[in-house]
């Protein structure tokens, strides 16, 4: 994750983080009420209204002041925005690597290469059926965005207490997993 993204999530610049957080939340709440096509069209109309109004304002201002500043968006119109072949290749390679890794892992889990991992995956999927019954995907996305912007700051302020409780929970979970593995034949993990 880049330094700019980390600064954004840790609220180093409150105005910038607030603007991004509120914009993303507004977009997600809009998507709960309207279709993606409608939200996209309204956003495009809002941006177009702003740029057309600014262009007309600048043109009137130039006519009244009798100046020749030119097009107000000239610098943006002259910027190069094309993706290079190297960038496309780099991202395609990353997507390919991620896809292959996911397919290998899913094959390993579904074909029960390791019984304990497949059972953990089955429990996770079973829990997700309950999560899916309570929330839709958009609600989970909203919760994820809110968590992304709040959890890092909370952890930074209360790191010692959180680490202590996480350590206790991890110890208990490892103890329970060890007991379960001891009772299931063929489920003992290799020492790593």
């Amino acid at each position: 994750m880049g330094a700019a993204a980390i600064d954004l999530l840790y609220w180093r610049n409150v105005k910038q983080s607030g603007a991004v957080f509120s914009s993303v939340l507004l977009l997600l709440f809009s998507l709960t009420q309207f279709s993606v096509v409608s939200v996209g069209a309204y956003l495009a109309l809002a941006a177009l209204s702003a740029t057309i109004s600014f262009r007309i304002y600048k043109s009137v201002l130039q006519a009244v002041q009798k100046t020749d500043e030119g097009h107000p968006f000239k610098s943006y119109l002259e910027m190069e925005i094309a993706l290079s072949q190297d960038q496309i290749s780099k991202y395609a390679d990353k997507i390919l690597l991620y896809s292959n890794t996911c397919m290998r892992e899913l094959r390993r889990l579904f074909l029960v290469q390791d019984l304990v991992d497949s059972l953990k995956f089955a429990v996770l999927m079973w829990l997700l059926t309950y999560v899916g019954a309570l929330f839709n995907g958009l609600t989970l996305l909203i919760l994820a965005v809110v968590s992304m912007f709040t959890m890092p700051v909370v952890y930074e302020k209360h790191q010692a207490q959180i680490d202590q409780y996480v350590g206790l929970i991890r110890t208990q979970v490892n103890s329970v997993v060890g007991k379960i593995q001891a009772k299931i034949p063929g489920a003992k993990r290799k020492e790593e």
Side-chain angles (χ1 to χ4, degrees):
M1 191 182 298
I6 289 173
D7 288 345
L8 200 64
L9 295 178
Y10 278 93
W11 293 77
R12 304 281 191 247
N13 181 343
V14 176
K15 287 182 182 177
Q16 187 179 20
S17 293
V20 170
F21 179 61
S22 59
S23 299
V24 170
L25 227 62
L26 180 65
L27 175 69
L28 292 174
F29 282 130
S30 298
L31 288 173
T32 63
Q33 299 300 315
F34 306 105
S35 72
V36 173
V37 174
S38 295
V39 171
Y42 283 129
L43 286 174
L45 280 172
L48 199 54
S49 297
T51 55
I52 289 172
S53 299
F54 185 72
R55 171 80 194 274
I56 292 171
Y57 168 76
K58 283 298 215 177
S59 297
V60 169
L61 201 58
Q62 287 174 13
V64 168
Q65 294 178 347
K66 303 217 188 304
T67 61
D68 190 27
E69 295 175 13
H71 196 288
F73 299 116
K74 184 177 181 180
S75 61
Y76 295 110
L77 289 170
E78 293 172 351
M79 283 175 55
E80 183 64 37
I81 59 170
L83 289 173
S84 70
Q85 185 65 33
D86 292 339
Q87 288 174 317
I88 292 174
S89 178
K90 182 178 89 171
Y91 291 124
D93 289 344
K94 285 184 179 182
I95 290 170
L96 181 65
L97 178 67
Y98 180 73
S99 299
N100 287 337
T101 303
C102 285
M103 286 189 301
R104 278 194 299 272
E105 186 64 21
L106 288 172
R107 178 185 66 189
R108 190 180 76 75
L109 290 170
F110 279 107
L111 298 179
V112 195
Q113 182 177 354
D114 184 346
L115 180 62
V116 174
D117 285 348
S118 292
L119 288 173
K120 287 179 190 177
F121 184 65
V123 168
L124 176 66
M125 291 300 109
W126 178 68
L127 290 173
L128 284 178
T129 62
Y130 287 102
V131 171
L134 295 173
F135 305 107
N136 67 21
L138 206 48
T139 305
L140 290 174
L141 191 58
I142 291 169
L143 290 173
V145 167
V146 170
S147 296
M148 280 174 36
F149 277 89
T150 55
M151 295 294 207
V153 175
V154 170
Y155 181 72
E156 189 175 56
K157 289 183 179 176
H158 305 287
Q159 185 174 359
Q161 297 95 330
I162 292 172
D163 286 346
Q164 177 186 356
Y165 288 117
V166 167
L168 291 172
I169 292 169
R170 185 174 287 145
T171 303
Q172 290 295 323
V173 167
N174 288 340
S175 171
V176 169
V177 168
K179 289 177 184 176
I180 291 172
Q181 285 178 343
K183 293 186 184 212
I184 297 175
K188 293 200 178 197
R189 301 286 299 218
K190 298 174 219 128
E191 294 298 320
E192 299 178 67

